[in-house]
Amino acid sequence: MTVPLETLLSHIDANLDASRARLFDWLRIPSVSAQPQHAQDCRRAAEWLRDQLAGLGFRAEIRATTGHPCVVAHHDGPGTAKAPHLLYYGHYDVQPPDPLDLWASPPFEPALVEGPHGPRIRARGAVDDKGQVMTWLEALRAHHALTGTIPVRATILVEGEEEVGSPNLDAFLEQHRDDLRADVAVISDTGMWDIATPAVTTRLRGLVYVQIDLRAASRDLHSGLYGGSALNPINLLTRILGELKDAEGRIQLPGFYEGVTELPAEQRREWEALGFDEAAFLGEIGLSVPAGERGRAALERLWARPTADINGIWGGYTGPGSKTVIPAEAHAKLSFRLVPGQDPQRVLAGLRVFLDARLPADAKAEIQVFGASPAIEVPAESRWVRAARAALAEEYGRPAVLMGSGGSIPVVESMRRILGLESLLMGFGLNDDQVHSPNEKFELRCLHQGIRSHARLLAALGGGAA
């Protein structure tokens, strides 16, 4: 059974209040994966989603991991093997809401408040990722309500540990590889260019994250007795880290840029045409002077060039007052954002060489590796990206931007490596949604048009509306 596309979209419009109310019900569950006292809340959030999917004709269940459970569901769609098979991924866990005193309303009592673009939903998880999961869930609901089925074969995987680094996801994907087979993974956990301009994210930077532990003397020393003779690890570590970049902002690890290619001219022109205002971008956070590689455009630096950043540094005495100590140890955390073509293991090897070349005889440095994932580039001409761009253009009345992302979404790499799936990243977040911060929000307009966009995409891929 098919229905006219306008009938489908009108149904979504007429039921927007009900969609919002369901999202509010889910947002009220404080599914904070990082805090053990919320373990039962995480399970409640998973159960809520399982029950919603079961009501739409899915065979839905909760599957255990060694941490928080996953929700897995299947729907045979129109009953033909020719229908495309989509794997929808999302996460129900959320960040801790702290600091609570900065929230304008309680983080787990969702509120509909007015903003510059109309009503917005304020709550922890509003956009990351419960609200974005609801865009495709409500699109599936609309198709089911009008036809009794959905126009594609669908598998759902929603995890509960994304906000703590998905420590059990790879093992889960390996264990359930056959059960999660599909043609493409669909993920709504990314953003738009702006509230009026949709986007498909096709580039994600990879990530190498490490901790350096540098040690010298066998104990902390009195700086009056040993200063001028004993090696100070903090002095050494800061000197070494100060050499990570040259005056042009280029990273000095041996072999770091091996595999990095120049941005295609067509992509460069498209990004330049977006008119990105870097002064406004920096001004919002109290800065005025761009950093990074000189001679590179702003979006190229943000989306298509690798970076190196010191995320934390410590050692010695940091308490109140004074303590004249030469510490025995110094520590730092570093992150390297990688672009397509870079090998994370080669970057780690280059870091080892870089450190060893600068260590005097009495110093020893260890590197703890907390993450090493490559960058991802989704083929812009794939069937799925073309279909998404068409659906978004129809909904918004303007072309969808092919965006890069300065951040990393490790599940995309896991989907490719373990399941052999490319990912379609069609998200509806905005830069000012205050993700992970107090007063996180999701524009009601973004929720609404996100549902409509996913409904259009389903219709186009599966012929579920005419």
Side-chain angles (χ1 to χ4, degrees), residues 180-205:
L180 297 173
R181 292 188 185 278
D183 297 322
V184 67
V186 179
I187 302 175
S188 287
D189 197 11
T190 52
M192 302 167 58
W193 176 248
D194 58 40
I195 195 166
T197 310
V200 176
T201 298
T202 59
R203 297 174 66 98
L204 295 168
R205 287 195 290 198

Side-chain angles (χ1 to χ4, degrees), residues 24 132 244 246 310 336 418 450 452:
F24 275 32
Q132 296 226 54
L244 267 177
D246 66 13
I310 302 168
F336 300 88
I418 298 172
R452 286 171 57 99

Side-chain angles (χ1 to χ4, degrees), residues 48-127:
W48 183 93
L49 181 59
R50 176 202 59 194
D51 294 345
Q52 294 294 315
L53 290 165
L56 301 182
F58 280 81
R59 302 183 300 280
E61 58 183 329
I62 293 176
R63 295 188 184 176
T65 74
T66 57
H68 300 301
C70 292
V71 178
V72 176
H74 298 280
H75 198 302
D76 295 331
T80 170
K82 293 182 178 180
H85 190 168
L86 309 185
L87 171 60
Y88 286 95
Y89 165 87
H91 64 92
Y92 63 77
D93 66 317
V94 301
Q95 282 279 322
D98 309 78
L100 293 175
D101 60 330
L102 296 183
W103 283 82
S105 55
F108 297 108
E109 295 179 18
L112 192 65
V113 298
E114 283 298 318
H117 304 297
R120 57 178 48 171
I121 299 163
R122 183 169 62 215
R124 174 58 85 226
V127 67

Side-chain angles (χ1 to χ4, degrees), residues 34 64 74 77 107 120 125 129 136 168 173 186-187 193 207 216 218 240 244 268 306 344 357 370 445 448 450:
H74 298 280
R120 57 178 48 171
D129 181 39
W136 50 258
N168 293 295
L173 295 179
V186 179
I187 302 175
W193 176 248
L207 178 65
S218 59
I240 292 173
L244 267 177
R268 187 187 304 277
F370 297 123
R445 175 175 163 185
H448 187 188

Side-chain angles (χ1 to χ4, degrees), residues 346-370:
R346 188 179 298 127
V347 170
L348 286 168
L351 176 62
R352 181 76 264 177
V353 171
F354 177 85
L355 279 174
D356 288 347
R358 289 161 177 79
L359 290 177
D362 285 337
K364 297 179 181 180
E366 297 178 0
I367 300 175
Q368 298 185 56
V369 180
F370 297 123

